[in-house]
Amino acid sequence: MTDSRLRALTGTVEREVTVGADGAFTIAGEAFQADPIGPGAWRVTCRGRSRVVHVARDGDEEAYWVHVDGRVHRVEITRAGVRPRRKTSGREHALAAPMPATVLSVIAEIGQAVNAGDTLLMLEAMKMELPVRAPRAGVVTAVHCREGELVQPGVVLIDIT
Amino acid sequence: VFSRLLIANRGEIAVRVIRACRELAIETIAVYSEADRDALHVRVADRAVPIGAPPAGESYLVIPRVIQAALETGAEAVHPGYGFLSENPGFAQACAEAGLIFVGPPADVIARMGSKIEARRLMQAHGVPVVPGEAPDDQSDESLLRAAEQVGYPVLVKPSAGGGGIGMRIVREVDEAAAALHGARREAAAAFGDPTLYVERLVERPRHVEIQVLADHHGHVVHLFERECSLQRRHQKVIEESPSPALTPALRGRMGEAAVAAARAAGYRNAGTIEFLVEGSGDAARFYFLEMNTRLQVEHPVTEAVTGVDLVHAQLRIAAGEPLAWTQASLAQRGHSIECRVYAEDPAHDFLPQAGPLLLYHEPRAPGVRVDSGVTEGGEIPVHYDALLAKVIVHADTRDGAIARAVAALRGFPILGIRTNVSFLLAVLAHPAFARGGIDTRFLDRETPGIVAGMLEAPLPEEVFAAAAAEFERGLKTSAAGSRGATSVSPTIRPADGDQHALDPWDVSGPWIGAS
């Protein structure tokens, strides 16, 4: 195989990966050898040290879930020179439930001034408590839910202006 | 024992009960909601009965449907698992009225222990220590404020009903008390339909230590020692262990005796757990009755590991009327066991629960490692139920050995497709305070932000990029050959390739007892 270059991107780190022959890769001047040891499993060797790494492709996107030593990372891969599609984080509805949830308690009151990061509501979903926090400073102008209510994702629970 | 039993639950606990039944040659009936059609518990049961729509309130919590499923399939007994209907006295009663054996205590015992105030009074009357506090019949603000004065600030205001920290308020000064009472009353009424409150002295830096008990129908009660459960995040237990590094032999003995006394006072039957708060350390530490859980606990496997007793077998035999197979003197703790709860949640985003596909899921296998789970690779985690994916339970000679084993098991447990708390569990296991064993119940609430920040700062191993690039290249090659889908990660069908990931026969086996 002829050499080619890939761009690998996590939320915070970007690397250029040079693809060599037979599982050889060069990243930041360092040589890596990746050998398949099963479906989704690779033995990656660098400077004589090997690690088992598990990888799963995420649907149709060129994004990969990667596990090494108990930590999981999501890596996008594109051909060098191609800008990766940046996805929105999906957290812009900070004042809505992320999934079907029960309102445990309404902490904020109408007219109350809040700071960014203040907890406004506690939800429960999947048996976990989820605080809903103010994305920015402001004043609470409306509360659209009550304690004990089952709320659906995407429905705004509280207004801040 | 019985010949046929219905499991009124889902997930890992349903699978765990089904496996215990199989060992005792009991035929198993699973129930499932529409969201769980392909769930593991449905596949491993001898028969499975659909009971409704995905929300638990329309399926797993609908008593008449569960009873009907049991009657239609000819089940003799019902195991409730934990959560759902397990501590619902109405369900135990409905089972009894339908002629079904409920694997648990009688309905009136569940009801009595479900009221925190009533349980507290009962324990006090039988000499079991309770946190100093007041539960006034007069529930007016004035009366409750007077109670708080008598107890002495700081106090904890708690609802009589429910649990999970809902409606609880810490009140440090009298100025805060009225607002706290109103908030707690409102939350208790909304969450449990019962606004009754009581006031306790606030135990600072308490540990949560619980004692497992077994009681048969012939007057025998034994305890199976303690589980240390202080590692909790937002009232959700994260890591449990047995023995507790905080108990001296003398304290353990006193707590065991108190737990047996508590179970006798309650007229208890079957497996139950007495939760205590422990204050201070050494032989002089004090302990207080907190509540009794009238069911099997999530963390029961650590007790099984150190005592060698299969608690689900014990539950089934007790329910069938057999006497206990143990005396107190025949029970002992051997070695050390730790359970780590693997949740589908994202530590980097406020532990937001995660639903979605399990693209790759390999449970660790090693000596002294047990994994209880209700999921398989290729499955989907639904949004409707709790976020517990699996429990990794380890057992070793010593606590240090158990910690090392837990670390190795979690590092070798790849779960891809959804975020999990595995990296958080590893960070907690590596925390110096955990290694010392000096954890109180608010430890994680104080330390979690620092632990998560440390996790996010940890450098990314470059192997991550090499492996992702390798998978990308492999995908290109196979798609050029026109068969990309078959050899890139295809979660549902994969060959059993040596011991890398042999198919678990449990994952594919259907009924084999010959369900009708």
Side-chain angles (χ1 to χ4, degrees):
Chain A
M1 180 190 281
T2 55
D3 276 13
S4 65
R5 278 173 303 172
L6 303 176
R7 186 196 308 274
L9 194 69
T10 69
T12 50
V13 183
E14 181 168 350
R15 290 281 184 273
E16 192 175 81
V17 181
T18 305
V19 183
D22 299 325
F25 297 89
T26 308
I27 302 166
E30 199 80 66
F32 292 84
Q33 175 65 35
D35 298 309
I37 53 172
W42 297 86
R43 174 168 285 117
V44 181
T45 309
C46 177
R47 294 190 187 187
R49 198 186 159 209
S50 290
R51 281 174 140 150
V52 174
V53 186
H54 288 88
V55 187
R57 183 161 164 258
D58 190 349
D60 293 331
E61 298 172 57
E62 291 306 345
Y64 297 83
W65 294 85
V66 185
H67 171 274
V68 58
D69 292 340
R71 290 174 66 200
V72 172
H73 310 273
R74 203 162 174 281
V75 183
E76 288 177 44
I77 303 274
T78 55
R79 291 266 156 224
V82 180
R83 276 318 308 171
R85 290 169 298 164
R86 298 300 298 165
K87 286 208 308 173
T88 55
S89 68
R91 291 180 59 78
E92 62 268 34
H93 295 295
L95 295 174
M99 52 182 60
T102 306
V103 179
L104 280 186
S105 60
V106 178
I107 295 157
E109 289 172 10
I110 292 172
Q112 185 185 338
V114 294
N115 294 314
D118 283 0
T119 301
L120 307 175
L121 301 166
M122 286 299 281
L123 302 177
E124 187 195 87
M126 296 176 78
K127 292 276 153 75
M128 313 288 251
E129 292 178 23
L130 305 179
V132 173
R133 301 183 203 276
R136 56 193 156 73
V139 174
V140 177
T141 52
V143 175
H144 303 293
C145 59
R146 54 191 164 67
E147 282 158 23
E149 187 178 337
L150 187 68
V151 293
Q152 293 302 318
V155 178
V156 174
L157 302 175
I158 198 161
D159 290 338
I160 296 180
T161 54
Chain B
V1 203
F2 318 107
S3 57
R4 197 175 289 166
L5 176 138
L6 180 137
I7 298 96
N9 216 299
R10 65 177 301 281
E12 68 89 15
I13 194 60
V15 174
R16 194 257 172 275
V17 173
I18 289 167
R19 289 178 178 176
C21 288
R22 190 146 292 181
E23 290 163 2
L24 299 178
I26 300 170
E27 207 180 311
T28 52
I29 315 292
V31 292
Y32 64 97
S33 76
E34 282 161 26
D36 278 339
R37 205 180 294 278
D38 300 320
L40 183 59
H41 79 280
V42 173
R43 280 190 273 160
V44 298
D46 293 304
R47 265 184 85 175
V49 181
I51 52 163
E58 296 170 38
S59 48
Y60 296 105
L61 292 173
V62 182
I63 293 173
R65 294 221 190 124
V66 176
I67 298 283
Q68 189 190 347
L71 293 177
E72 280 178 359
T73 54
E76 293 153 67
V78 175
H79 195 298
Y82 54 69
F84 292 133
L85 296 170
S86 62
E87 292 186 282
N88 182 323
F91 181 58
Q93 188 61 39
C95 287
E97 284 165 9
L100 297 161
I101 294 173
F102 176 79
V103 180
D108 62 318
V109 175
I110 300 176
R112 196 178 310 141
M113 302 317 278
S115 158
K116 286 188 187 169
I117 290 180
E118 205 183 321
R120 204 185 134 81
R121 283 180 187 148
L122 184 70
M123 293 303 139
Q124 260 181 315
H126 287 80
V128 177
V130 299
V131 180
E134 295 288 332
D137 289 329
D138 175 2
Q139 285 280 311
S140 67
D141 279 12
E142 298 71 36
S143 163
L144 284 162
L145 285 170
R146 215 161 34 240
E149 267 328 306
Q150 271 167 23
V151 169
Y153 291 98
V155 299
L156 191 61
V157 175
K158 297 167 91 170
S160 176
I166 297 165
M168 282 208 250
R169 293 281 196 283
I170 292 171
V171 186
R172 297 204 173 269
E173 296 165 43
V174 64
D175 299 352
E176 306 167 356
L181 289 177
H182 297 158
R185 193 178 279 140
R186 196 173 32 140
E187 280 178 34
F192 315 121
D194 177 0
T196 311
L197 302 177
Y198 65 109
V199 182
E200 277 181 2
R201 178 169 74 77
L202 180 70
V203 178
E204 301 271 12
R205 302 219 164 199
R207 302 177 70 103
H208 173 128
V209 180
E210 60 190 29
I211 306 278
Q212 175 73 49
V213 295
L214 287 175
D216 67 14
H217 293 277
H218 308 277
H220 307 114
V221 184
V222 295
H223 71 82
L224 289 89
F225 311 99
E226 80 278 15
R227 289 184 290 262
E228 165 69 58
C229 305
S230 298
L231 262 171
Q232 308 181 0
R233 203 184 57 74
R234 292 181 200 148
H235 308 289
Q236 183 79 252
K237 291 170 189 167
V238 177
I239 294 176
E240 304 98 339
E241 59 186 306
S242 184
S244 164
L247 297 199
T248 62
L251 182 60
R252 176 174 297 118
R254 279 158 52 210
M255 289 178 68
E257 283 167 25
V260 169
R264 287 195 187 281
Y268 202 74
R269 300 284 181 277
N270 216 290
T273 294
I274 321 284
E275 295 188 350
F276 291 105
L277 281 184
V278 177
E279 185 178 37
S281 60
D283 285 346
R286 280 166 294 178
F287 62 91
Y288 307 107
F289 172 86
L290 195 59
E291 61 181 278
M292 179 161 196
N293 295 313
T294 55
R295 56 172 162 81
L296 192 66
Q297 302 270 103
V298 177
E299 59 272 24
H300 74 276
V302 297
T303 298
E304 298 187 319
V306 296
T307 62
V309 172
D310 186 306
L311 288 169
V312 178
H313 284 189
Q315 285 192 295
L316 296 169
R317 292 190 188 283
I318 290 168
E322 293 182 23
L324 291 183
W326 310 271
T327 61
Q328 194 62 58
S330 69
L331 291 163
Q333 288 168 302
R334 210 196 109 256
H336 199 98
S337 179
I338 298 177
E339 173 181 278
C340 299
R341 297 193 187 188
V342 176
Y343 288 111
E345 61 184 11
D346 183 1
H349 290 104
D350 231 343
F351 293 86
L352 188 67
Q354 307 284 298
L358 288 175
L359 299 175
L360 184 146
Y361 176 87
H362 294 187
E363 290 179 354
R365 291 175 185 198
V369 176
R370 161 179 170 184
V371 180
D372 280 16
S373 67
V375 298
T376 49
E377 187 168 277
E380 187 93 13
I381 307 306
V383 297
H384 310 283
Y385 315 110
D386 75 29
L388 183 67
L389 283 182
K391 308 184 303 201
V392 175
I393 306 108
V394 298
H395 187 218
D397 287 349
T398 62
R399 184 165 189 268
D400 286 348
I403 293 173
R405 206 158 248 184
V407 168
L410 289 171
R411 285 168 66 106
F413 191 177
I415 302 171
L416 300 180
I418 53 168
R419 299 279 175 190
T420 75
N421 68 335
V422 167
S423 55
F424 179 73
L425 291 168
L426 284 164
V428 173
L429 290 170
H431 197 285
F434 181 77
R436 285 195 301 271
I439 301 284
D440 65 84
T441 56
R442 288 189 265 275
F443 172 82
L444 278 187
D445 291 333
R446 288 192 305 272
E447 299 293 330
T448 293
I451 291 171
V452 171
M455 284 161 50
L456 297 179
E457 279 163 17
L460 203 64
E462 299 290 337
E463 285 85 349
V464 164
F465 301 108
E471 194 71 44
F472 179 84
E473 290 293 319
R474 174 153 72 179
L476 287 186
K477 266 189 242 163
T478 51
S479 71
S483 61
R484 172 169 189 148
T487 47
S488 69
V489 178
S490 168
T492 43
I493 306 163
R494 57 167 67 234
D497 51 334
D499 61 359
Q500 180 58 40
H501 183 243
L503 275 176
D504 184 339
W506 283 104
D507 299 353
V508 292
S509 73
W512 61 270
I513 294 189
S516 51

